[in-house]
Amino acid sequence: MKRFYILIFCFIPFLSLGQTKVIAGKILDDEGNSLVGATVIEKGNSGNGVITDYNGEFILTITEASNEIEISYVGFESQTVVITGDYTTVSLKTDANRLQTVEVEGFSPVSSRARIRVQSIQRLPETTVAMTGESLEINGIDNIQTFTSQISNVTFNQAQQPGVNFLTVRGISQIRNAESPVAIVIDGMTLPDASAMNLSLYDIDLLEFVKGPQGTLYGKNAIAGAINIITKDPTNFNTTKIMGRTGNGGLIGGGLLSSGAIVNDEFYYSIAGNFETFDGLINNTFLNEKVDFYDEWNGRGKLKYRFNPRWSATYVQDNFNVKAGGNYYVTKMDIFDSSIPVLADDNLSNEPFGDVQGDSELSNSLSSLKIEGNLSKFRFQSVTSFNATRRYYIGENDYSQYAFSKVAQTSNSDTFSQEFRLTSNNSEDQKIGYTFGTLFQNSKRYLNTSTFLNSTYYDGGFIDASAENANYSDVPLVGNNDDNTIRTFAAFAFFDFYLTDKLTVSAGIRVDNDKLTNDSRITNTSIENDITVAQPKFSIAYAATDNVLAYGNYGRGYRAGGFNSETTVKFDKTYEAEFTDNFEIGLKTSFLNDRIIFNNAAYYISFENQQQYTFIPLTPSLLGIYNLKESTISGFESELKFRATKSLDFFASVGFNNGEIQEGTYNLLTNAAAFDYNTHDDVNVSGNTSPFTVKSTFQIGANAYINFSETSGATIHVNADTRGTLYWDPLEEYQQKPYTLVNARTEFTFSKMGVTIWANNIFDTAFNQEFFPTAEFGFNNLRFPNTPTTVGLGLSYTF
């Protein structure tokens, strides 16, 4: 027995050496941004190390006796950190030698999170544009509209009121009162209502746009792509930034960003708020009042609790509210003067002159809880969210100085989502990467469109239509009054097969089961529609060298169908779901140590059941959606970034897009002037350009960096966005001709203070945000004007 105890005693040192512990942490730069791909090594054991993930975080198993780790990242000073707990936050300092060197460095790598796992943009086999928070600030990007203005074959317009958006990607467009063509994902949560893309962008870590169908990972209505928004995580470092701004049109705004630790390395908070008020620049010449006014506020609160090195929970509350003008469409100066032709699509000179001042409101509330577990082989995520959107407007209906009627619309949605994901962790010897997931979503939606008649005119013998004697009825004529529910169950899987160091094959599939229910409050009837859809995706990527990637991919896209209020000669009670088959090939290259990045892609899209919006101008009007049976879209895109010197970058992108209706019919009313909304011709529009397909886009710009000292300097940004021809209708009767928008921004930094001067649409270019061809109905065409030149000044202070 004595020998046994001696033997155990001799082995104790070896047993202690074999004991391990798990530590974790987050690596930031000196601006508080996450460093993805930083190397973390156990000191004294160079063979035991990891790299930080897409959150800048790491988990490392080290020996119990170790108490130091070494951290390094290209362009930053390496650090040795003493371990005092099981989690630590480290901020790396920029390498002073790097700042003083005369050598021009290339663009820093940007890591995409589009496929859930971290992956370099230049190694992702899809067309992707991504910007870090620093780049967003330099480029003056504060919303999705300004972001898309720098991306080829993408346009973003807004009409009628905030929340009515027309985001078009490669000819696939947002349809009024229907689903978005692009998934908007914020911190892993897909926003279910297209109105939510009006949110302001602030406190952002990464913003990326991935083109092509992304439904395999993000579900239905990602038929044209996904916008992935990653907000900054709070850390131990307490920072607060206050902002103020002013500009023409009575613009006044301000904001606050604050972040820090409640309990160091365990419990964190961040709050971000923004408000803005704008008197307007577009004048209603009849009322002599501005119509494009708005009051907007945004707020986001985030709480993150870390249970241990592997598990954390994050709660986010994100709200925004906009009260604004609305429905200020423009038509010809006198709708009763037959000598004045209907408004032409190139007539951009008129201003609104209706007798009703439009008002609108949009609010969105997103509550989410994300639980994450970073285990040894995979990452687990549970994302629970509830989104409530409210949209309302009331305003002009005849768009004239005469008082006939006004119209109101309410569009609400409440959506609950629960998603679970399992994602493999990256490692150097990994041969297969994977993501599995399931989703349950229930979305309840309400749409009401009502018309209010002028009793003085309609009950008074159709004599007095003057605005001064108008008496609008409180009892509406209801055109749409429907409750719609979409219940979704989905499961998905996606794999990356690393066949060699150069060749990667990816494959995935998602199966969605949607149950759609329509309850009509007008007819007190209910109908249902069930659909099960598979969305496969395949890609192959070959890295010929470290700087050249060739790829090809195929994806199936799906956008949900739905219900109209009732059947007319223009549309049926139901409209069909859209499907696309997308084929893309591309080449991503970089030269001169990443000083030049040159990416190219070509694509072909076969489009089934393309959705189109129209209406029947009864009293009240009936709004609806119909389908074009078959269309095709083909195009090419090229992106170039060039770092000419340490202080000057150039960027340019170009896109060519050709959308053609292969098989489709438009039901053209032929006797609507006599209030006959049934007599029509079935017009074959096969061979015509599909509506909203922008023929070409061209963006060019530059960023200049000037250092006054180590703590002060200036950045100058200028960009031009040119958009080619598009047709507003399948008959090709009305079009938007090409135009160019030019924007500029300069920011001066002095230690903790910043001063910004900006100007948008510098040359006051006029174009149509939307054009309604209504001459068919015996009315006059309508256009929605764009915002004129805006200029402003901003101040910020960080402490």
Side-chain angles (χ1 to χ4, degrees):
M1 181 63 69
K2 183 178 180 181
R3 292 180 180 178
F4 175 76
Y5 285 120
I6 293 174
L7 185 64
I8 293 297
F9 180 77
C10 292
F11 269 101
I12 285 176
F14 297 99
L15 291 174
S16 64
L17 285 174
Q19 291 178 351
T20 60
K21 60 184 176 183
V22 177
I23 63 168
K26 188 178 184 74
I27 311 302
L28 308 170
D29 64 14
D30 44 14
E31 297 289 333
N33 300 307
S34 303
L35 286 179
V36 181
T39 301
V40 182
I41 298 174
E42 178 184 4
K43 188 173 183 181
N45 186 5
S46 59
N48 183 31
V50 294
I51 61 172
T52 53
D53 64 12
Y54 57 76
N55 291 320
E57 294 183 317
F58 70 90
I59 293 179
L60 180 63
T61 300
I62 62 177
T63 57
E64 183 67 37
S66 294
N67 63 357
E68 288 183 319
I69 55 175
E70 296 176 330
I71 303 168
S72 61
Y73 191 81
V74 176
F76 290 82
E77 296 179 2
S78 298
Q79 280 193 35
T80 299
V81 178
V82 178
I83 301 166
T84 58
D86 60 9
Y87 192 91
T88 185
T89 303
V90 180
S91 178
L92 297 185
K93 295 181 180 180
T94 303
D95 190 345
N97 293 327
R98 175 190 177 193
L99 297 176
Q100 296 171 4
T101 182
V102 296
E103 182 182 352
V104 181
E105 294 185 353
F107 292 97
S108 300
V110 178
S111 297
S112 170
R113 308 178 200 179
R115 291 189 171 182
I116 309 300
R117 298 186 301 280
V118 61
Q119 191 170 4
S120 169
I121 292 291
Q122 290 301 103
R123 287 293 177 265
L124 185 68
E126 303 194 68
T127 302
T128 309
V129 177
M131 291 187 180
T132 63
E134 181 182 11
S135 297
L136 294 174
E137 188 170 345
I138 291 172
N139 287 267
I141 293 172
D142 55 6
N143 54 42
I144 291 176
Q145 185 168 8
T146 52
F147 179 47
T148 56
S149 69
Q150 299 185 27
I151 305 175
S152 60
N153 281 337
V154 178
T155 59
F156 187 110
N157 290 336
Q158 179 179 286
Q160 183 177 292
Q161 67 185 99
V164 179
N165 306 308
F166 300 97
L167 176 62
T168 303
V169 183
R170 294 177 170 176
I172 304 175
S173 183
Q174 169 69 46
I175 305 300
R176 185 185 292 267
N177 299 327
E179 307 292 345
S180 170
V182 170
I184 309 295
V185 185
I186 179 167
D187 291 332
M189 294 153 289
T190 302
L191 301 181
D193 194 303
S195 305
M197 68 175 67
N198 286 77
L199 81 170
S200 295
L201 299 176
Y202 51 91
D203 202 28
I204 302 298
D205 202 25
L206 176 72
L207 177 64
E208 63 178 328
F209 196 123
V210 190
K211 299 180 188 177
Q214 302 301 319
T216 306
L217 290 172
Y218 297 112
K220 62 179 181 292
N221 309 326
I223 192 170
I227 297 176
N228 195 21
I229 304 168
I230 307 295
T231 63
K232 289 185 177 179
D233 253 357
T235 66
N236 286 339
F237 304 105
N238 291 285
T239 60
T240 299
K241 182 178 182 179
I242 56 175
M243 300 158 287
R245 55 190 170 277
T246 186
N248 64 328
L251 175 68
I252 299 175
L256 169 71
L257 304 175
S258 182
S259 177
I262 300 172
V263 178
N264 274 356
D265 291 325
E266 186 174 332
F267 193 22
Y268 317 88
Y269 83 93
S270 68
I271 55 174
N274 180 68
F275 80 91
E276 196 164 272
T277 181
F278 181 61
D279 293 337
L281 292 169
I282 300 174
N283 192 51
N284 182 317
T285 57
F286 181 76
L287 297 175
N288 195 27
E289 295 179 3
K290 302 299 182 185
V291 293
D292 57 330
F293 61 90
Y294 64 81
D295 294 306
E296 176 180 350
W297 69 268
N298 299 263
R300 181 190 305 122
K302 181 183 288 190
L303 291 172
K304 184 169 184 175
Y305 182 76
R306 189 171 301 283
F307 300 98
N308 54 49
R310 295 193 181 277
W311 289 91
S312 66
T314 304
Y315 175 77
V316 180
Q317 182 63 47
D318 207 329
N319 288 72
F320 70 85
N321 180 273
V322 185
K323 294 182 179 179
N327 222 39
Y328 46 91
Y329 288 90
V330 179
T331 187
K332 72 177 188 178
M333 290 301 296
D334 192 327
I335 61 174
F336 286 133
D337 187 346
S338 58
S339 66
I340 303 176
V342 297
L343 188 71
D345 52 19
D346 59 352
N347 184 347
L348 307 175
S349 59
N350 293 344
E351 293 184 296
F353 49 89
D355 67 296
V356 178
Q357 175 71 297
D359 285 292
S360 67
E361 183 171 1
L362 168 66
S363 65
N364 190 84
S365 174
L366 173 63
S367 306
S368 67
L369 176 65
K370 181 164 62 175
I371 298 174
E372 293 184 283
N374 196 346
L375 307 179
S376 58
K377 297 296 184 180
F378 60 85
R379 178 188 293 268
F380 167 82
Q381 284 186 332
S382 167
V383 182
T384 309
S385 66
F386 180 77
N387 189 90
T389 301
R390 302 290 181 265
R391 195 177 80 213
Y392 174 79
Y393 84 87
I394 185 167
E396 184 68 61
N397 196 33
D398 50 83
Y399 309 103
S400 72
Q401 64 271 45
Y402 303 105
F404 296 115
S405 62
K406 57 183 179 179
V407 63
Q409 187 176 82
T410 299
S411 178
N412 299 333
S413 70
D414 293 297
T415 304
F416 170 81
S417 296
Q418 174 63 59
E419 186 168 1
F420 297 104
R421 306 187 194 113
L422 284 177
T423 304
S424 61
N425 287 327
N426 293 336
S427 64
E428 292 184 1
D429 58 350
Q430 187 176 20
K431 296 301 181 183
I432 300 177
Y434 59 82
T435 296
F436 300 104
T438 61
L439 169 75
F440 169 75
Q441 185 178 88
N442 193 64
S443 184
K444 297 181 179 180
R445 306 183 181 188
Y446 173 65
L447 177 66
N448 176 289
T449 307
S450 298
T451 303
F452 299 85
L453 302 179
N454 176 14
S455 300
T456 303
Y457 177 75
Y458 284 93
D459 297 338
F462 303 99
I463 296 174
D464 185 4
S466 62
E468 59 269 22
N469 294 326
N471 179 26
Y472 288 102
S473 172
D474 294 328
V475 180
L477 298 174
V478 180
N480 299 78
N481 197 16
D482 298 89
D483 291 302
N484 293 287
T485 301
I486 304 177
R487 187 271 296 142
T488 301
F489 287 103
F492 57 92
F494 195 86
F495 298 90
D496 289 316
F497 301 97
Y498 306 103
L499 303 182
T500 70
D501 292 340
K502 296 179 178 296
L503 183 63
T504 302
V505 174
S506 304
I509 190 167
R510 184 189 191 98
V511 178
D512 286 78
N513 175 257
D514 290 334
K515 180 179 180 180
L516 294 81
T517 305
N518 171 258
D519 295 307
S520 173
R521 299 190 182 195
I522 297 176
T523 61
N524 197 28
T525 58
S526 179
I527 57 175
E528 293 183 355
N529 184 20
D530 282 78
I531 184 172
T532 299
V533 175
Q535 297 181 78
K537 189 178 185 69
F538 306 97
S539 66
I540 183 170
Y542 180 73
T545 68
D546 290 341
N547 301 315
V548 177
L549 179 78
Y551 69 88
N553 63 52
Y554 161 79
R556 176 84 162 156
Y558 159 57
R559 176 159 52 175
F563 303 96
N564 296 313
S565 181
E566 61 180 80
T567 301
T568 73
V569 298
K570 285 283 191 180
F571 44 80
D572 297 324
K573 175 63 179 176
T574 62
Y575 58 92
E576 300 299 322
E578 289 180 337
F579 297 96
T580 61
D581 289 299
N582 297 254
F583 303 87
E584 179 178 332
I585 57 173
L587 186 67
K588 295 187 174 183
T589 61
S590 61
F591 308 95
L592 296 178
N593 294 323
D594 295 331
R595 287 177 57 190
I596 297 177
I597 295 177
F598 186 43
N599 297 336
N600 299 272
Y603 56 87
Y604 175 84
I605 303 171
S606 177
F607 208 156
E608 179 184 348
N609 296 332
Q610 185 175 10
Q611 296 169 2
Q612 298 291 308
Y613 169 84
T614 188
F615 68 96
I616 289 285
L618 298 168
T619 303
S621 295
L622 298 177
L623 317 178
I625 296 170
Y626 67 99
N627 299 95
L628 296 173
K629 188 172 182 179
E630 185 179 346
S631 305
T632 58
I633 304 171
S634 58
F636 174 79
E637 297 165 350
S638 188
E639 175 196 17
L640 174 68
K641 294 197 298 183
F642 174 43
R643 175 150 291 170
T645 70
K646 290 182 62 177
S647 303
L648 185 62
D649 296 338
F650 294 100
F651 60 89
S653 61
V654 63
F656 300 98
N657 203 50
N658 180 46
E660 183 177 329
I661 302 169
Q662 299 297 321
E663 184 177 353
T665 300
Y666 181 79
N667 295 344
L668 177 69
L669 299 180
T670 56
N671 198 33
F675 304 103
D676 174 3
Y677 300 123
N678 289 302
T679 303
H680 68 280
D681 287 337
D682 295 335
V683 181
N684 184 358
V685 294
S686 302
N688 289 359
T689 302
S690 53
F692 304 104
T693 301
V694 180
K695 294 283 189 180
S696 62
T697 60
F698 178 60
Q699 292 84 17
I700 190 170
N703 292 319
Y705 312 93
I706 304 171
N707 291 322
F708 304 143
S709 67
E710 288 187 5
T711 59
S712 64
T715 60
I716 302 171
H717 167 83
V718 61
N719 79 282
D721 176 20
T722 298
R723 305 181 185 182
T725 301
L726 71 81
Y727 287 98
W728 297 107
D729 63 306
L731 300 174
E732 291 190 342
E733 291 184 343
Y734 299 97
Q735 63 178 281
Q736 171 64 60
K737 294 183 178 179
Y739 62 92
T740 299
L741 302 176
V742 179
N743 307 313
R745 185 178 189 272
T746 300
E747 181 178 14
F748 300 92
T749 56
F750 307 96
S751 186
K752 297 181 178 181
M753 179 172 288
V755 180
T756 304
I757 303 170
W758 53 265
N760 293 328
N761 192 7
I762 292 175
F763 298 106
D764 202 19
T765 301
F767 62 95
N768 293 313
Q769 293 267 41
E770 184 182 30
F771 189 89
F772 258 136
T774 58
E776 169 194 352
F777 307 123
F779 300 148
N780 298 284
N781 297 329
L782 306 172
R783 64 174 292 261
F784 197 84
N786 67 292
T787 302
T789 300
T790 55
V791 297
L793 173 70
L795 300 173
S796 67
Y797 183 76
T798 303
F799 56 93

